[in-house]
């Protein structure tokens, strides 16, 4: 860290804070990435600092990487402070200024990072509170999705934010892009002369971005009734991953050039027409609390995205996500065009197992697999599908992997916007979504544990969804591999 920091954590006793943020900050501190820092928590809970420290300790024990010994915990707990929201902006400002004095050093300016782990409707109230507390100067702010629900609301939200904060101070977080595998896409594409020349419409047939989930919405129906799967997952997550896949090489791997190239992808997208979108709702969703009997909120969405530029014209991008599906996964699958196969004799299996695929698994540990046909040993020309694989756990530096929230908090502290989206990017995506939002396709029922409504097969035809498919990753504990 170039400068000392005071991190103000709004929603400090909430679920995200307990599961991800507090354990993540402990790990960043242990890694030497949060030196000269203080953490001021605030929330609606009317508790004191001592109680907050106990909550933080329990959270880190339960959700951290390993049990927290007293030796590890004692110095970290000294960084924690707490102010209830009921005490008002003046009390928050006083606690932050006191923490600022504790880390202040001659010649080093103290900066502030405000993490808004609060419901969307409360975000602007927090922004106003920060303005009243005079905590805007020398500060950065991390905001959680959703960033509006349509073009009008997104523009209104950004306009209100820009009344208080400059765009350079705002970090709209997407934990998908904080994963090691998402950044590996950039390294894979632009650091290797083998793949970038074939990363275009001449060699790639289609791309799939598949994020099915097995969890339902039992505790989130009130939130989901105002959003749905498209607003919750596609605009904020899947489209951002798509931009990494589809963007042109930036002039440098710096925040400005990368954001420019991502926004060019969004501007090149054709508007999302309802006939290219399948919406679904799992059976039983309407029986949940806070759900209308005639709710048409989608818990599943699959869509075809077309990018009308020189690199990608004619290459469809198929996106799919949903709740209560057969399997949980985060897969990017790139299907290459098939060569002429007429030279292979009948019965050779040429082309019978689909095209060659390059697969990125966006799990916490980065994995990649390249599948291809090879000759089966023995007489005659019999082909079989083989694969080459890479996984982070195969490398000597696997222990240095940061979880998504850990990486993104550290990036925001450093002022690095590379993995965050911009006001322009969000507004462009909502603009492209307007035809779908104004005239949504019908919601189709699907059974929990399935892969969604049957209409998804017509959407992707003549191709086939890559999931379900037989995917076996190399066992890191196996010998002789």
């Amino acid at each position: 860290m170039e400068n000392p920091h005071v991190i103000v954590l709004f929603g400090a006793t909430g679920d995200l804070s307990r599961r991800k943020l507090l354990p993540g900050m402990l790990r960043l501190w242990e890694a030497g990435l949060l030196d000269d820092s203080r953490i001021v928590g605030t929330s609606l809970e009317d508790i004191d600092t001592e109680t907050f420290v106990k909550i933080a300790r329990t959270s880190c024990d339960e959700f951290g990487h390993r049990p927290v010994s007293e030796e590890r915990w004692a110095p970290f707990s000294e960084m924690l402070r707490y102010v209830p929201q009921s005490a008002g902006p003046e009390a928050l400002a006083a606690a932050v200024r006191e923490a600022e004095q504790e880390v202040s050093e001659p010649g080093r300016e103290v900066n502030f990072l405000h993490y808004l782990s609060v419901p969307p409707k409360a975000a602007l109230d927090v922004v106003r509170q920060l303005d009243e507390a005079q905590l805007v100067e020398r500060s950065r702010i991390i905001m959680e999705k959703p960033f509006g629900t349509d073009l009008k609301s997104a523009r209104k939200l950004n306009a209100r934010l820009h009344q208080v904060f400059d765009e350079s101070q705002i970090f709209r977080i997407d934990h998908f892009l904080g994963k090691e595998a998402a950044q590996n896409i950039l390294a894979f594409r632009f650091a290797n002369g083998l793949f970038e020349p074939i990363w275009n419409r001449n060699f790639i047939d289609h791309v799939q971005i598949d994020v099915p989930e097995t969890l339902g919405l039992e505790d989130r129906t009130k939130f989901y009734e105002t959003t749905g799967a498209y607003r919750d997952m596609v605009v904020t997550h899947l489209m951002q991953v798509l931009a990494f896949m589809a963007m042109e090489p930036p002039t440098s791997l710096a925040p400005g050039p990368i954001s420019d190239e991502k926004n060019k992808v969004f501007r090149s997208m054709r508007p999302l027409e309802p006939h290219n979108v399948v919406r679904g709702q799992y059976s039983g969703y309407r029986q949940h609390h806070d759900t209308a009997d005639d709710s048409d909120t989608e818990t599943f969405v699959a869509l075809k995205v077309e990018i009308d530029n020189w690199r990608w014209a004619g290459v469809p991008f198929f996106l799919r996500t949903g709740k209560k599906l057969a399997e949980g996964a985060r897969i990017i699958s790139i299907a290459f065009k098939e060569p002429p196969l007429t030279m292979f004799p009948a019965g050779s299996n040429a082309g019978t197992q689909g095209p060659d695929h390059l697969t990125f698994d966006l799990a916490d540990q980065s994995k990649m697999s390249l599948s291809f046909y090879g000759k089966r040993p023995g007489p005659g020309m019999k082909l079989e599908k083989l694969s080459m694989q890479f996984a982070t756990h195969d490398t000597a530096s696997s222990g240095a992997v940061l979880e998504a929230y850990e990486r993104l908090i550290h990036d925001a502290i450093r002022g690095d916007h590379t993995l965050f989206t911009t006001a322009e990017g969000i507004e462009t995506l909502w603009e492209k979504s307007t035809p779908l939002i104004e005239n949504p396709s019908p919601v189709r029922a699907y059974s929990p544990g399935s892969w969604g409504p049957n209409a998804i097969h017509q959407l992707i035809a003549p191709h086939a969804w890559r999931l379900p498919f037989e995917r076996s990753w190399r066992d890191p504990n196996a010998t002789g591999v």
Side-chain angles (χ1 to χ4, degrees), residues 295-328:
S295 171
D296 66 347
T297 299
E298 79 278 0
T299 62
F300 170 99
V301 64
L303 58 152
K304 180 169 74 171
V305 177
E306 298 169 291
I307 300 174
D308 201 3
N309 62 17
W310 189 263
R311 182 182 291 262
W312 295 114
V315 178
F317 287 72
F318 297 102
L319 281 55
R320 177 173 63 167
T321 187
K323 308 296 184 183
K324 285 204 172 184
L325 297 179
E327 181 184 339

Side-chain angles (χ1 to χ4, degrees), residues 217-233:
L217 290 162
E218 288 76 6
D219 300 323
R220 298 182 65 209
T221 49
K222 187 174 182 179
F223 163 73
Y224 233 67
E225 280 291 281
T226 61
T227 54
Y230 181 80
R231 290 177 170 90
D232 181 43
M233 291 292 293

Side-chain angles (χ1 to χ4, degrees), residues 92-131:
L92 177 64
V96 172
R97 295 304 177 187
E98 182 180 339
E100 179 186 11
Q101 290 301 315
E102 293 176 6
V103 296
S104 180
E105 298 178 9
R108 297 183 72 195
E109 192 174 56
V110 179
N111 292 336
F112 306 108
L113 178 68
H114 308 301
Y115 198 120
L116 273 59
S117 179
V118 298
K121 63 182 181 181
L124 289 176
D125 290 336
V126 172
V127 170
R128 184 175 64 251
Q129 183 180 357
L130 290 170
D131 194 19

Side-chain angles (χ1 to χ4, degrees), residues 417-438:
H417 275 90
T418 302
L419 301 177
F420 298 84
T421 191
T422 64
E424 179 189 349
I426 286 293
E427 291 180 14
T428 301
L429 285 172
W430 284 124
E431 181 181 0
K432 300 295 183 178
S433 304
T434 298
L436 173 64
I437 291 172
E438 292 183 346

Side-chain angles (χ1 to χ4, degrees), residues 229 278-282 296-302 441-446 452-453:
V278 174
R279 298 166 69 232
Q281 185 184 96
Y282 64 76
D296 66 347
T297 299
E298 79 278 0
T299 62
F300 170 99
V301 64
S441 52
V443 169
R444 305 167 188 266
Y446 66 94

